[in-house]
Amino acid sequence: MKRATQTVITLFGVDVLVAVLAMMQQHGNGRPWTFLVSDFIPGAATGLAAVLIWRRRPQNRIWWLLLAASLTFWVGDFEHHSNRNVALIGFAFSRWYDVFLAWAVLGYPNGRLRGRTDRALVVFLGAITSARSTSRLFLFVPADAAGYGTSNRFLPIHDDRWWRQVEDWHARALTAGIVGMLIVIAHRWLTSSRTTRQMLSPALFAGSTLAACVFYQTQLGWNSGIGPGRDVRIYYVVWWAYGALALALSVGMVRLRRTRSAVVDVFSELGHAAPPDRLGVALGRAMGDPSLKLMPWSSAASAYLDPSGQPVDLPADRSGRAVTLIEQDGEPMAALVHDAVLLEDPGLVNAVVAAVRLTIDNDQLQAELEARLADVAASRARIVEAGDNERRRIERNLHDGAQQRLVGTALGLKLAGSRLADSPDPRVHAVLAEAATELTLAINELRDLARGIHPTMLTQFGLRAALESLVNRSPIAIELEVDLPCEPSEVVAATAYYAVSEALTNIMKYANATDVAVRVRGDRQTIVVEVVDNGVGGATLGGGSGLTGIADRIATVGGMFRIDSPVGCGTRFEVELPCGSS
Amino acid sequence: MARTAVVVDDHPFVRTMVRRLLEEAGFDVIGEADDVRGALRLGADLQPDIMLLDVQLPDGTGIEATRTMRTWETSPAIVLISTNDYADSAHLCGADGFIGKADLSLETLRAAVGPT
């Protein structure tokens, strides 16, 4: 166990021991059980609050202030001890818990006094309590030998007015100090964010109540303690107020912990793709700090950006606001400007920083991925377009070159054949006729090849004419409906044409269909192509059907492809394409 | 008197063969062109009885040329020819017939244009 922990545990042990001894003293003084309970509970609550806060946040100074308050709470219980020295200490050093508790309330939630006013108040309370203790040590003269308190052992003073003057001034000064504290507390509460108020409210309420009770007590001139004729009930109220204050200080810490859960919910709710501005607003709402700002770093601007995207300087340190920088590998990523009270829970801040870092990182990765996907899509589109252009070029070359030469040659042979029709050698005519026939077949095959590479009619006369030509060449009757308000772009028209061509090819090969319909309809944004048959169904992507290639091409132009082909129930093939009107 | 004809095709060899085919069929070929502009000019200037017009031309299509000539007061009989099948389009644009180039022969020509 670490030495610091051992020391702390020892101190808590001492507190418990002193509490037990104090209760034994009071019991020996003949106090009733109500007195003992009321006396014990506040001191114990203060000590318990110290333990709770130390366990959660050992670096927070509040816990040792509360421990000191708890220890000094028991001191006054010994002022009737049979040992004169112990009784003197108990008498002289009671009420020091006022100073420690005041310090804890003013320095809440981290135990650090914020400004000159806070420090002045604590110093003031310490000074007047020191004066009171000194007066009780050196100036006190008991009312009678059998009365309350112990006789003065250090100075030959017999006039009790000196220490009574000090007691009166102490009462007035304590009153002034309490009023000052109440003003500071009220101002702090009014100028705090919601998160800070949530933390401060229990402690401030309890502190104010206690201050009011002590104020009342001092006004009654009961600084001299409990004596004959005094109503102890006011002491019960004051003591319970002390206990309530200690517990309220713990409650405030717990409320901050609840903020952590709210923050976790923010990330669960927004998911991993929340942009910084939305995330900042949501975090501010969850943490009760509407002024919370999440400012992403811009490498281009070399500055942090405000929610509107403008470069902005980080706010200078001022009361109540803190800046937490978020970095990744030493490079700035974002800055979080928030209520300083959130720093009281370093775990909360660290969790927020880690989650924000993840979110921003993810956001950047998402943007990079989208940019890359866009590049890939553009690249694919360029490849498809280049392929279409090449096909068009090949078809053109075939048409203008080989096809025409064959046509001319076939014509020449036919002419030669007709001129040699009366030739004495019938084989000449037969050979020429056969050659012409073969050439005609070659021309037709070349025509089909060229059409398969790129349908000229699509380029020259558009999608409707190309589909009509396609359907007319089919060996089975196909119903064709085309309803397009405008001609799509060349790439989209080619995609639609090839999709129908591939669908019809599959129908001819596999479907055994007797009824086929091709419907093309659209508007200025979208074209929908349907090919429906009453064949055997069971069509799928892959399996040599050629649909995979068509699906890829459709995806390249940003279209969608659906196929519904239950076995035995025909096939419905649907393509939806962006029009891309030319 | 033989009927006059004009041949329009952007391939010189095909144009030559079609000319010979027309002459073999008894037509007097009075002009040749290799694009739509030439076809319209010859159609207006020479006013042939018949024009054999290729569909795919460098500056347009024979179908467009047919539509244009059909707006004239008088226009020749037009038979479209092509390696691709434009029979339906030919009918719709007002041509008098369509012959696939692979099927071009004296018989198909006479069937399309009638006796000379």
Side-chain angles (χ1 to χ4, degrees):
Chain A
M1 188 184 293
K2 287 184 182 173
R3 198 166 180 175
T5 307
Q6 283 178 333
T7 306
V8 170
I9 291 175
T10 304
L11 286 172
F12 282 128
V14 168
D15 187 37
V16 170
L17 177 64
V18 172
V20 169
L21 292 174
M23 291 302 102
M24 287 171 62
Q25 174 64 41
Q26 291 291 12
H27 181 68
N29 293 343
R31 302 294 186 194
W33 71 268
T34 50
F35 183 98
L36 294 176
V37 168
S38 298
D39 191 19
F40 176 76
I41 294 291
T46 307
L48 184 63
V51 170
L52 290 174
I53 294 174
W54 170 72
R55 290 284 292 162
R56 283 205 71 240
R57 240 167 293 159
Q59 72 280 7
N60 191 314
R61 294 180 184 182
I62 288 283
W63 71 264
W64 75 261
L65 289 170
L66 293 176
L67 180 60
S70 178
L71 279 168
T72 52
F73 193 82
W74 312 119
V75 171
D77 288 319
F78 295 98
E79 61 189 9
H80 293 288
H81 199 274
S82 56
N83 182 299
R84 290 174 60 204
N85 296 323
V86 173
L88 179 62
I89 291 170
F91 176 65
F93 293 97
S94 64
R95 298 216 72 127
W96 270 94
Y97 49 80
D98 284 333
V99 179
F100 296 116
L101 283 175
W103 190 344
V105 171
L106 287 171
Y108 193 71
N110 55 17
R112 291 187 178 87
L113 299 173
R114 293 179 200 198
R116 281 187 215 165
T117 309
D118 291 359
R119 285 192 285 272
L121 277 170
V122 172
V123 168
F124 175 74
L125 290 173
I128 63 172
T129 308
S130 297
R132 177 176 178 269
S133 296
T134 306
S135 163
R136 287 189 169 204
L137 277 175
F138 297 104
L139 301 178
F140 173 67
V141 176
D144 54 67
Y148 170 75
T150 182
S151 59
N152 191 303
R153 298 167 63 196
F154 303 106
L155 296 175
I157 295 177
H158 304 288
D159 189 345
D160 67 355
R161 60 177 166 162
W162 302 111
W163 85 270
R164 286 192 185 280
Q165 282 278 28
V166 173
E167 292 291 309
D168 286 342
W169 279 108
H170 173 265
R172 293 195 190 102
L174 184 61
T175 303
I178 288 167
V179 169
M181 265 188 62
L182 287 173
I183 293 171
V184 169
I185 289 167
H187 178 261
R188 188 165 299 160
W189 192 88
L190 286 170
T191 56
S192 296
S193 68
R194 202 186 85 188
T195 304
T196 307
R197 284 188 191 181
Q198 275 188 337
M199 261 194 96
L200 290 181
S201 292
L204 294 182
F205 177 74
S208 302
T209 305
L210 175 61
C213 291
V214 173
F215 174 79
Y216 179 63
Q217 186 190 20
T218 55
Q219 290 307 298
L220 292 179
W222 286 358
N223 263 347
S224 54
I226 301 173
R230 305 281 188 210
D231 189 346
V232 301
R233 285 178 295 183
I234 184 59
Y235 282 92
Y236 293 174
V237 172
V238 173
W239 291 338
W240 283 100
Y242 277 118
L245 173 62
L247 290 176
L249 294 176
S250 310
V251 167
M253 300 293 191
V254 170
R255 281 190 167 187
L256 188 59
R257 192 188 187 95
R258 275 203 224 119
T259 303
R260 256 202 230 188
S261 303
V263 168
V264 170
D265 289 343
V266 164
F267 288 99
S268 301
E269 198 180 296
L270 289 181
H272 56 275
D277 55 339
R278 269 189 72 200
L279 183 57
V281 168
L283 280 174
R285 203 167 41 236
M287 292 174 154
D289 183 5
S291 62
L292 183 146
K293 288 194 181 63
L294 178 61
M295 301 181 186
W297 173 260
S298 165
S299 305
S302 292
Y304 293 97
L305 304 179
D306 66 12
S308 64
Q310 297 301 315
V312 67
D313 292 324
L314 292 176
D317 281 340
R318 64 175 195 273
S319 177
R321 304 302 293 171
V323 176
T324 300
L325 297 179
I326 302 171
E327 295 179 349
Q328 179 91 307
D329 300 328
E331 294 295 322
M333 191 181 248
L336 199 63
V337 179
H338 56 86
D339 195 315
V341 75
L342 298 177
L343 293 173
E344 278 317 295
D345 190 346
L348 169 65
V349 175
N350 291 341
V352 169
V353 165
V356 168
R357 188 182 288 129
L358 254 175
T359 302
I360 293 179
D361 210 23
N362 195 71
D363 205 38
Q364 289 170 348
L365 283 172
Q366 184 83 3
E368 276 179 30
L369 182 63
E370 284 173 7
R372 287 195 186 176
L373 283 174
D375 285 345
V376 167
S379 174
R380 280 176 76 184
R382 285 195 296 272
I383 289 171
V384 167
E385 193 177 347
D388 284 351
N389 289 341
E390 187 61 15
R391 287 160 77 116
R392 215 172 284 128
R393 189 187 67 81
I394 292 171
E395 186 277 331
R396 192 76 218 167
N397 286 345
L398 280 175
H399 174 267
D400 291 348
Q403 278 182 288
Q404 303 308 315
R405 290 188 201 289
L406 289 175
V407 162
T409 305
L411 271 176
L413 285 174
K414 288 173 189 174
L415 276 169
S418 74
R419 285 193 182 166
L420 292 171
D422 298 328
S423 166
D425 189 346
R427 289 176 297 177
V428 173
H429 179 76
V431 165
L432 288 173
E434 193 177 334
T437 301
E438 286 303 311
L439 269 175
T440 301
L441 288 173
I443 293 166
N444 287 336
E445 282 177 10
L446 203 55
R447 177 199 61 203
D448 291 342
L449 175 64
R451 189 187 292 141
I453 292 170
H454 179 78
T456 310
M457 198 167 285
L458 184 66
T459 306
Q460 291 195 319
F461 297 103
L463 180 60
R464 179 197 296 269
L467 288 176
E468 284 171 350
S469 173
L470 181 64
V471 161
N472 288 341
R473 291 197 302 275
S474 167
I476 62 172
I478 298 176
E479 176 195 333
L480 175 65
E481 290 175 25
V482 180
D483 180 13
L484 290 175
C486 57
E487 190 64 24
S489 67
E490 277 191 44
V491 171
V492 171
T495 303
Y497 176 87
Y498 290 129
V500 173
S501 175
E502 188 61 39
L504 291 180
T505 300
N506 285 335
I507 288 171
M508 301 307 161
K509 279 186 188 174
Y510 309 116
N512 285 334
T514 55
D515 192 6
V516 181
V518 175
R519 298 186 196 101
V520 180
R521 64 182 189 279
D523 52 35
R524 294 200 174 274
Q525 276 79 42
T526 310
I527 294 176
V528 177
V529 177
E530 274 182 340
V531 181
V532 182
D533 72 75
N534 65 346
V536 299
T540 55
L541 283 180
S545 66
L547 292 176
T548 305
I550 289 298
D552 286 344
R553 190 184 170 112
I554 290 167
T556 301
V557 299
M560 285 194 305
F561 158 64
R562 285 181 284 271
I563 186 162
D564 181 19
S565 186
V567 173
C569 299
T571 298
R572 180 192 171 84
F573 172 91
E574 187 176 308
V575 174
E576 196 173 307
L577 302 167
C579 186
S581 298
S582 50
Chain B
M1 188 176 174
R3 286 198 286 171
T4 57
V6 161
V7 178
V8 181
D9 194 294
D10 58 328
H11 201 283
F13 185 45
V14 171
R15 209 161 56 235
T16 301
M17 288 295 113
V18 170
R19 181 193 184 102
R20 287 184 187 168
L21 192 69
L22 283 165
E23 287 168 347
E24 188 71 19
F27 284 91
D28 182 14
V29 179
I30 58 175
E32 291 180 19
D34 59 4
D35 57 19
V36 168
R37 191 174 165 190
L40 294 175
R41 181 173 49 80
L42 291 180
D45 292 348
L46 302 179
Q47 296 190 356
D49 295 314
I50 178 174
M51 180 181 287
L52 245 62
L53 180 54
D54 187 15
V55 173
Q56 287 170 258
L57 294 168
D59 60 346
T61 67
I63 290 176
E64 291 163 359
T66 302
R67 286 202 186 104
T68 301
M69 284 188 273
R70 284 298 179 251
T71 64
W72 298 348
E73 271 191 37
T74 55
S75 58
I78 299 172
V79 175
L80 292 169
I81 58 175
S82 178
T83 49
N84 292 311
D85 182 8
Y86 287 103
D88 289 341
S89 302
H91 174 69
L92 288 172
C93 73
D96 294 282
F98 172 82
I99 306 174
K101 284 185 182 177
D103 299 324
L104 260 177
S105 66
L106 282 172
E107 291 77 23
T108 56
L109 187 61
R110 283 176 183 141
V113 302
T116 55

